[in-house]
Amino acid sequence: MHPPEQRRPQPWPIRLTHWANVPLLAILAASGLQILVAYPRMGPRGRPFALYPFQDAMPPAWLRLGDWLAGARSWHFAFGWFLALNGVVYVLYLALSGEWRRRLFLPRRDARDAVATLAYYLRLRPAPVQTGLYNGLQRLAYTATLVMGALSVLSGLAIYKPVQLHWLMTLFGGYDPARFIHLLLLALFALFTVGHVVLVALHPRTFGEMITGGRKPDV
Amino acid sequence: MSERILTRRRVLLGAAALATSACDSQRPREGFLGVMDRFNQRAQTALFHPARLAPEEPVEQLTPPRDFPHYFISDTVPLAPAGWRLEVGGLVARPRAFSLEELRQLPRTDFRIRHHCVEGWSAVASWHGVRVSDLARAVGADPRAGFVEFRSFDQGYYSSWDAPSALHPQTVLAYGMNGAPLIPGHGAPLRLYSGVKLGYKMVKYLTTVRFLPEATGGTWEDRGYEWFAGV
């Protein structure tokens, strides 16, 4: 196995799973919003959920997929498997290839750098910090998406099978909190995607690397 | 020089055609979505445990009655015809018609559990009635009947169930809700209630229970909702 420094910035399994996320996340998000339209509020029937400010607000039609509730559920439960599988493949590859070392956030190594990078973005520091492939803040963000993905699958399973997987629903605090967390994670993914795309636009080289894989670093 | 059969344009057009025909939201039981629906049905069946119970909810969790929707497909609240009886038949040793009084003489089961609607809301009520498994015993249902079909006088609303879910200890023919006799809005005189299925599987205004060797469909299932619909 190559030491990570000898590797291209984006090995092909990373690129494959990364780009597979684009249609899969779009399908899951859009069909999920169509499911939400059937009852666009959180909380038990008749009682609003205190943390959800958008009671009865319907997501716009162009953001939805599936035409109606049954169609949307079919899309959601069909493609949920592939999104979860894609995540599992990605995590397995990270673990087996050693890529986790340059991608995952390790607090003792990356915390200080994450703070420094944030200070740079906030114009509190003049120069960027460069630490290999990714800086601490990037590692934190990418690791957070993995945790968010896992929580999305688990909270989704909790509201899909609240009786058979009752222990899981209890972990999320009950049926309505699980439903709220599932939607909150979608909002966080949307937020991440916006930031991700803006930063890629500011650093076009990374976009090319995510397509071609990039060059191996000069030794 | 031979013409290339797989041009990029053809691949893209083919993929687009496949995606639109294979994933039809109006007919989600067909094409690729249908394949995945059958896969999901197997997964749901494997996950179902015949002895796992929906938890009893504390009395404070009871949903105020005005917040528990009345649901029927007729234009007005369906009312039971005079001389209403529940016909029980199919693969049974002793097919017969039960009056409500006769059903009340069978063992009574009570529980207070959460109702899960396919739309995403939930609500709590207590229900009492006779277990479908006790009814099956009373009529001598054949173990080869792997499915149970429930029909109603609400414009023929119906749904077919897998026998393990129908014979679950929390699946009852309910004649009462929240300690009182069932009101017409909730399916009087008799409705199906269960802790292990989504709401649309729980047929109200029952007229017929049949133990069958094959699955039939259902009012919503025939329009594209999933057939198993366990929770």
Side-chain angles (χ1 to χ4, degrees):
Chain A
M1 200 171 284
H2 306 285
E5 300 75 36
Q6 300 282 328
R7 292 171 154 257
R8 307 170 83 189
Q10 307 296 353
W12 69 266
I14 298 275
R15 283 179 276 149
L16 187 74
T17 47
H18 171 269
W19 290 113
N21 275 328
V22 176
L24 289 173
L25 263 175
I27 288 172
L28 266 289
S31 57
L33 289 178
Q34 181 69 57
I35 292 171
L36 177 68
V37 160
Y39 189 66
R41 36 170 46 208
M42 299 288 126
R45 180 91 198 176
R47 275 171 289 182
F49 192 62
L51 290 171
Y52 182 64
F54 306 108
Q55 305 287 338
D56 296 318
M58 296 235 194
W62 59 269
L63 272 179
R64 303 187 231 139
L65 171 71
D67 295 338
W68 65 306
L69 180 56
R73 283 173 62 93
S74 293
W75 280 93
H76 207 70
F77 301 145
F79 286 91
W81 289 103
F82 298 104
L83 187 63
L85 190 68
N86 196 44
V88 168
V89 168
Y90 178 77
V91 167
L92 278 179
Y93 176 75
L94 275 196
L96 297 178
S97 66
E99 278 288 334
W100 62 272
R101 279 190 215 96
R102 57 178 190 171
R103 288 172 195 273
L104 288 192
F105 181 78
L106 305 174
R108 295 180 77 171
R109 180 188 66 189
D110 299 319
R112 185 189 275 268
D113 182 64
V115 173
T117 309
L118 185 66
Y120 166 67
Y121 283 142
L122 297 174
R123 302 274 187 268
L124 298 172
R125 256 183 82 111
V129 204
Q130 193 51 50
T131 43
L133 180 61
Y134 290 132
N135 63 49
L137 196 59
Q138 283 172 301
R139 289 195 177 117
L140 182 63
Y142 299 148
T143 305
T145 59
L146 273 185
V147 175
M148 281 154 53
L151 287 175
S152 294
V153 171
L154 292 175
S155 58
L157 285 172
I159 52 181
Y160 184 45
K161 296 289 151 200
V163 173
Q164 305 302 330
L165 301 178
H166 184 252
W167 57 274
L168 189 58
M169 195 184 73
T170 311
L171 277 181
F172 282 100
Y175 183 75
D176 294 301
R179 197 164 174 252
F180 174 72
I181 290 167
H182 197 62
L183 184 63
L184 180 69
L185 287 162
L186 171 64
L188 293 177
F189 267 115
L191 211 63
F192 169 83
T193 305
V194 170
H196 188 60
V197 169
V198 166
L199 286 169
V200 167
L202 294 175
H203 304 277
R205 187 176 55 86
T206 57
F207 182 69
E209 284 176 357
M210 195 42 96
I211 294 170
T212 64
R215 287 193 190 159
K216 278 185 187 174
D218 300 325
V219 185
Chain B
M1 212 174 106
S2 65
E3 196 187 340
R4 284 178 69 194
I5 295 174
L6 276 179
T7 63
R8 176 175 293 193
R9 171 181 297 232
R10 282 187 193 169
V11 170
L12 288 176
L13 282 177
L18 193 70
T20 48
S21 68
C23 294
D24 183 342
S25 305
Q26 291 300 325
R27 285 176 304 234
R29 311 289 289 281
E30 293 171 19
F32 178 72
L33 293 181
V35 170
M36 291 308 292
D37 178 64
R38 290 185 278 286
F39 178 74
N40 279 322
Q41 187 175 307
R42 278 199 290 279
Q44 293 192 64
T45 311
L47 197 60
F48 175 79
H49 195 287
R52 196 173 290 135
L53 299 181
E56 282 282 332
E57 295 283 345
V59 74
E60 315 86 74
Q61 285 292 318
L62 269 181
T63 300
R66 66 171 186 283
D67 290 333
F68 210 123
H70 295 193
Y71 179 86
F72 39 82
I73 57 171
S74 302
D75 294 334
T76 54
V77 186
L79 295 174
W84 175 92
R85 286 246 188 316
L86 180 74
E87 301 274 348
V88 185
L91 285 176
V92 298
R94 299 173 292 280
R96 62 176 275 203
F98 290 83
S99 70
L100 202 55
E101 215 33 63
E102 288 166 331
L103 287 168
R104 283 209 185 93
Q105 281 156 20
L106 293 172
R108 169 177 156 157
T109 299
D110 283 72
F111 46 69
R112 182 167 53 243
I113 54 179
R114 190 167 289 275
H115 178 100
H116 295 280
C117 178
V118 65
E119 292 175 350
W121 53 264
S122 71
V124 178
S126 60
W127 303 90
H128 58 270
V130 52
R131 281 182 179 145
V132 175
S133 60
D134 286 329
L135 182 80
R137 210 164 295 126
V139 296
D142 192 313
R144 283 172 299 175
F147 302 90
V148 189
E149 186 198 72
F150 302 90
R151 286 190 174 271
S152 78
F153 57 82
D154 180 14
Q155 292 197 358
Y157 192 104
Y158 80 111
S159 187
S160 124
W161 287 45
D162 56 298
S165 298
L167 302 177
H168 185 270
Q170 286 172 322
T171 302
V172 298
L173 304 177
Y175 42 73
M177 176 188 184
N178 293 337
L182 208 55
I183 60 168
H186 283 300
L190 191 69
R191 68 166 295 176
L192 188 56
Y193 198 85
S194 178
V196 296
K197 291 286 193 205
L198 289 174
Y200 66 84
K201 296 296 288 184
M202 305 181 203
V203 178
K204 296 174 171 178
Y205 312 103
L206 284 169
T207 54
T208 320
V209 177
R210 290 197 300 158
F211 293 83
L212 299 174
E214 305 273 351
T216 56
T219 298
W220 281 106
E221 294 87 327
D222 296 347
R223 295 175 197 178
Y225 277 56
E226 75 220 74
W227 175 81
F228 190 84
V231 293

